[in-house]
Amino acid sequence: MPEALISDFGKTVVAWQRRHGRHTLPWQNTRDPYRVWLSEIMLQQTQVVTVLGYYERFLARWPRVTDLAAATLDEVLAMWAGLGYYSRARNLHGCAKAVAELHGGEFPRSAAGLQTLPGIGRSTAAAVAAFCFGERVAILDGNVKRVLSRVLAFDGDLSSSAAEKTLWNHATELLPAQDVDRYTQGLMDLGATVCTARSPNCLICPVQPLCRGRQEGEPTRFPVKTRKLKRGRRENWWLWIQDAGGQVLLQQRPGTGVWAGLWTLPMFDDEASARAAVAGASPETLPRIEHALTHFDWVLHTLRADAPAATAPTGTWVAREKLAHYALPAPLKKLIEES
């Protein structure tokens, strides 16, 4: 890697962030590792605009990591509902409990120590360590991979662990000697606002003179990742059974798999099984729901029947006004709100 790039890149990013970067997000301007860690977990694969409301609600209910640790997993999942990727919520709760029980309510003060906690990977640990403790350590989230891949014209296939390891080494080489926290924020800001995935705004990019991807005329060719996600399709039927008092029958999903630990309507693999579960009733067919998840598209058909139904499945009866206290997946929340 050219010495000029190593010496100039970090300084340029720091100077740009100071003048043009983001400075008013609620998790900025703090060295509280709880607040920074919470934002980092929420922002994984989720846009800032979506996270803002959840972040404020979490802090209002659990202002300290020990408060979050004392909550039940059901409470955390209910608060998280609609944000998606629910394994993050389970890891969030597990991490809070580990900090409270193993570290006296204090986060470890190094990236290496942070990585020993549940759900904290290398990049998240580095972000917390850089922002809160000033550790000189590199991050490599999705935005940063894109920025560095383009600046370096790095054509290694990031589907490969060897190529990703090489990019990690380059990210470490490019770290400035000081202002690592501002540099780290600057890389995030560049990826989010300038060096975007499909339409990078190279004309206003501060590192354009250093960017080999721009010089080669193909910045959007980077990063290289050849392994494509194969999407599947799933179809299920679920039963909305409601009694005369307005209670709805719910079942809790298993602890692993899609929507792990969430509460849903009783679910079946086919229509015949769903109708057989309420034999003797005449269920109403509601409009189907099409829900896109990371790996597959899910079509959900809803049959609505009044209790008692002859062979209604077992579950937990929940009053309509108390459903908000349960961790429901987004499609079910929407279905209930619109009913």
Side-chain angles (χ1 to χ4, degrees):
M1 187 183 303
E3 287 296 326
L5 177 60
I6 294 175
S7 63
D8 294 345
F9 181 74
K11 295 176 184 176
T12 302
V13 171
V14 168
W16 175 84
Q17 203 286 326
R18 185 174 282 113
R19 295 186 60 188
H20 302 290
R22 298 175 295 185
H23 300 277
T24 60
L25 295 173
W27 44 84
Q28 293 180 314
N29 306 309
T30 179
R31 291 189 178 273
D32 180 350
Y34 173 58
R35 291 171 177 257
V36 173
W37 160 75
L38 180 62
S39 71
E40 288 293 321
I41 300 300
M42 287 185 167
L43 287 165
Q44 291 171 2
Q45 299 176 289
T46 307
Q47 294 182 343
V48 168
V49 66
T50 303
V51 166
L52 289 171
Y54 284 89
Y55 181 79
E56 297 293 352
R57 289 191 290 273
F58 260 76
L59 285 180
R61 184 162 181 180
W62 300 301
R64 295 174 298 276
V65 68
T66 49
D67 299 323
L68 180 58
T72 67
L73 179 57
D74 274 349
E75 289 173 327
V76 175
L77 287 171
M79 185 71 79
W80 190 275
L83 197 53
Y85 302 99
Y86 290 92
S87 61
R88 294 181 298 170
R90 291 188 290 275
N91 287 333
L92 191 82
H93 187 241
C95 183
K97 289 176 71 68
V99 171
E101 295 169 4
L102 303 179
H103 299 277
E106 299 289 335
F107 280 82
R109 298 180 64 85
S110 69
L114 289 162
Q115 283 188 77
T116 66
L117 297 172
I120 297 188
R122 182 177 178 180
S123 190
T124 298
V128 175
F131 287 136
C132 301
F133 310 122
E135 185 175 356
R136 188 175 177 272
V137 61
I139 70 166
L140 200 64
D141 65 8
N143 281 334
V144 176
K145 285 179 183 178
R146 185 166 60 252
V147 172
L148 297 187
S149 294
R150 289 172 178 174
V151 167
L152 301 171
F154 181 76
D155 58 4
D157 185 351
L158 293 182
S159 297
S160 157
S161 58
E164 183 159 311
K165 182 179 179 180
T166 300
L167 190 59
W168 268 112
N169 292 337
H170 291 328
T172 301
E173 284 183 85
L174 288 169
L175 284 170
Q178 55 190 12
D179 294 320
V180 173
D181 53 347
R182 191 174 293 278
Y183 168 78
T184 300
Q185 185 63 57
L187 285 181
M188 293 178 170
D189 292 349
L190 273 178
T193 65
V194 177
C195 192
T196 54
R198 294 179 178 81
S199 302
N201 199 340
C202 298
L203 293 178
I204 65 169
C205 181
V207 297
Q208 182 199 142
L210 304 171
C211 183
R212 287 185 56 198
R214 169 69 172 174
Q215 292 163 12
E216 294 178 5
E218 294 184 281
T220 55
R221 187 166 72 84
F222 307 99
V224 176
K225 194 168 186 179
T226 60
R227 187 181 301 152
K228 301 296 184 182
L229 178 67
K230 293 182 178 180
R231 294 191 63 78
R233 185 178 183 277
R234 187 178 298 181
E235 195 164 9
N236 288 97
W237 278 255
W238 56 12
L239 285 174
W240 180 340
I241 304 175
Q242 186 166 315
D243 68 11
Q247 294 190 118
V248 177
L249 186 66
L250 297 181
Q251 292 179 340
Q252 190 169 28
R253 300 277 292 173
T256 58
V258 180
W259 292 344
L262 301 191
W263 292 84
T264 70
L265 303 175
M267 190 173 293
F268 301 85
D269 291 333
D270 53 66
E271 184 177 6
S273 299
R275 290 187 178 277
V278 288
S282 299
E284 172 190 6
T285 302
L286 300 182
R288 75 179 193 175
I289 298 168
E290 296 186 6
H291 184 57
L293 294 172
T294 307
H295 300 292
F296 64 91
D297 297 312
W298 205 349
V299 178
L300 294 160
H301 303 273
T302 307
L303 299 177
R304 180 169 180 167
D306 294 327
T311 56
T314 59
T316 299
W317 290 97
V318 180
R320 286 287 296 265
E321 62 270 18
K322 294 187 179 296
L323 287 172
H325 301 298
Y326 282 73
L328 308 177
L332 180 54
K333 288 182 70 174
K334 185 178 180 182
L335 178 65
I336 291 170
E337 289 167 1
E338 294 178 350
S339 67

